[in-house]
Amino acid sequence: MIPDIVHVSSAHPWVDNRVHLREAAAAADAGYRVRLIAVDSDLGAPATAVDVVRIPRRARVRRMLVSTTQALVLALRSRAPVVHLHDPELIWTIPVLRLAGRIVVYDAHEDLPEQVWSKDYLTHPQRALFAWLSHGLLRAAGTAHRVVTATQWTGRRFPAGRQLTIHNFPVARPEDNAQVGLEARPAVVAHVGVLSRDRGIDALASAVRHPSFPSGWRLEMVGSIDRATSVEQLRAAEATGRAVHRGVVGPIEARDLLLRARIGVVPFRRTPVTDQIFPTKLFEYLAAGLAVIATDNPLWRRLLCDVDCVTFVPADDPDAIASAVRRYAEDPDLLARHGAAARRAAARFAWATEAERLVAMYDELLPGVRETRSKSTVDR
């Protein structure tokens, strides 16, 4: 059966939250035939109506040379009229796909030039060179029929008439509706997502070892460790018995962890990139009804200005993080109030509205497809 839409990634695993469980699944739930071409993974994901084709995991250089070509061939063979690309390394395929008569959507998950500048493992001249090259890539990406971006800030790089911002808000789950109050949960501070210097892992690890960190509490983390990040402080925190890194888990396991915690932490450093993004984990914390400790980022403060659920702390300040945890530990009424406010606010930051806007874009690109299929089903 020929799909209507094929989502393509040579870098993201097939269990990826945005690529599969949000965007591809939303299109399939709306009635489109959807295929996903993405990287194999040992992790699991909830069942969806998406037809998944997995390509092998490969090292970076082979991925950019072999996996991108394989993904392109599979996309062309699918005969899907709409090809939705998810990686900067696939930008070169846009003119090929357009020449083949396909409608191309490019998904900019992050701001590429700023992302390059944040790579600590590159030298300054290397970052300058790659940032310059990335601007050329983005001009090429702007030739896609539509560009989907994760934030409005990223969207400034692309033609306004073809750009659509789709935020990474979490998908609502029955488990979230059945959650228990924070007082009935273990004394856990949770961190989900990539562990890196820019995402505040050093400050978080130091906070656990700070004298202000309350006795009987522990930090639980899931997610990959950025390859340029030293793990020395993380291991020192684990040695205290107050912290545990559970490695990489599937998206559902990560969200289940949050339902067994009282506090979620977003300890990002202040950088040009982190100052302009909405971390997915922040919205997942709200959905889980957690009190939140977050870096005092002006963008986040404006976003949650009317939600009394966050303790904002200075960036790179382990003392402030530890003191915030202690304050929640010693004031259960504050903890309960912030958790309840987070749960009420979660409805404002849910995936359903974003899914409707994404499907409306597909309806524009594929006029009449869903209606024709629905009528055909009724006639049978």
Side-chain angles (χ1 to χ4, degrees):
M1 188 176 296
I2 298 174
D4 305 308
I5 304 161
V6 59
H7 283 256
V8 185
S9 175
S10 58
H12 291 85
W14 71 275
V15 299
D16 185 85
N17 260 320
R18 180 176 178 87
V19 178
H20 182 179
L21 301 184
R22 291 191 181 100
E23 293 186 342
D29 290 344
Y32 285 110
R33 294 170 182 159
V34 182
R35 181 169 297 167
L36 168 65
I37 299 165
V39 180
D40 195 13
S41 171
D42 296 329
L43 302 176
T48 69
V50 177
D51 174 34
V52 178
V53 176
R54 308 186 199 185
I55 62 177
R57 287 174 284 188
R58 297 183 173 101
R60 183 182 296 271
V61 174
R62 282 181 53 79
R63 188 184 78 205
M64 296 182 71
L65 295 175
V66 179
S67 296
T68 58
T69 303
Q70 181 182 15
L72 171 63
V73 170
L74 290 171
L76 290 170
R77 285 180 178 173
S78 75
R79 297 166 59 193
V82 172
V83 180
H84 192 141
L85 305 173
H86 287 272
D87 312 321
E89 58 205 49
L90 290 172
I91 290 173
W92 70 270
T93 70
I94 293 175
V96 178
L97 289 164
R98 293 198 60 151
L99 283 172
R102 307 305 168 86
I103 301 169
V104 183
V105 177
Y106 176 68
D107 206 305
H109 294 203
E110 297 178 302
D111 187 280
L112 188 57
E114 296 291 358
Q115 185 185 20
V116 169
W117 278 112
S118 70
K119 299 298 185 183
D120 292 335
Y121 57 85
L122 297 176
T123 66
H124 188 276
Q126 287 174 326
R127 279 181 279 182
L129 172 62
F130 291 135
W132 177 75
L133 291 172
S134 69
H135 283 285
L137 280 176
L138 293 186
R139 283 193 292 272
T143 65
H145 295 86
R146 293 291 184 276
V147 178
V148 173
T149 63
T151 67
Q152 291 179 334
W153 182 62
T154 302
R156 78 195 189 285
R157 305 279 191 187
F158 302 100
R162 281 177 280 163
Q163 187 269 325
L164 175 68
T165 299
I166 299 293
H167 297 100
N168 282 331
F169 294 158
V171 177
R173 306 191 307 156
E175 293 87 346
D176 297 329
N177 293 329
Q179 64 186 251
V180 298
L182 297 185
E183 73 284 351
R185 304 186 196 182
V188 167
V189 179
H191 180 280
V192 299
V194 176
L195 303 174
S196 70
R197 182 169 175 266
D198 279 354
R199 292 168 186 259
I201 183 55
D202 290 347
L204 188 56
S206 296
V208 171
R209 293 179 287 136
H210 196 278
S212 296
F213 195 84
S215 176
W217 283 69
R218 69 180 184 276
L219 168 68
E220 294 195 12
M221 300 161 283
V222 295
S224 61
I225 300 174
D226 183 82
R227 65 191 183 96
T229 299
S230 169
V231 298
E232 181 179 348
Q233 293 200 52
L234 175 61
R235 299 308 177 219
E238 289 186 299
T240 67
R242 293 178 171 184
V244 57
H245 176 225
R246 301 194 180 280
V248 180
V249 303
I252 299 306
E253 291 89 339
R255 292 189 65 179
D256 286 345
L257 165 66
L258 302 182
L259 295 176
R260 302 190 300 272
R262 297 183 185 181
I263 300 171
V265 62
V266 192
F268 284 15
R269 297 175 65 233
R270 294 287 303 280
T271 72
V273 174
T274 59
D275 273 2
Q276 298 294 336
I277 63 173
F278 296 130
T280 301
K281 63 172 65 65
L282 175 60
F283 304 112
E284 292 178 341
Y285 294 165
L286 300 184
L290 301 183
V292 178
I293 299 171
T295 297
D296 196 352
N297 178 319
L299 182 66
W300 305 347
R301 188 177 279 274
R302 288 196 301 272
L303 177 74
L304 299 172
C305 63
D306 60 343
V307 183
D308 184 25
C309 70
V310 183
T311 297
F312 287 105
V313 297
D316 298 315
D317 192 336
D319 185 8
I321 296 173
S323 297
V325 176
R326 175 172 288 277
R327 185 183 176 208
Y328 282 125
E330 294 178 347
D331 190 344
D333 289 339
L334 174 67
L335 180 70
R337 187 169 73 249
H338 278 198
R343 187 71 191 102
R344 289 193 298 271
R348 291 164 43 188
F349 307 109
W351 172 247
T353 301
E354 304 301 299
E356 289 177 1
R357 295 171 56 244
L358 179 69
V359 170
M361 180 196 73
Y362 290 137
D363 288 344
E364 182 183 351
L365 298 175
L366 295 168
V369 168
R370 283 202 300 153
E371 291 80 357
T372 300
R373 184 164 300 138
S374 176
K375 183 178 184 301
S376 175
T377 301
V378 171
D379 290 344
R380 287 201 301 268

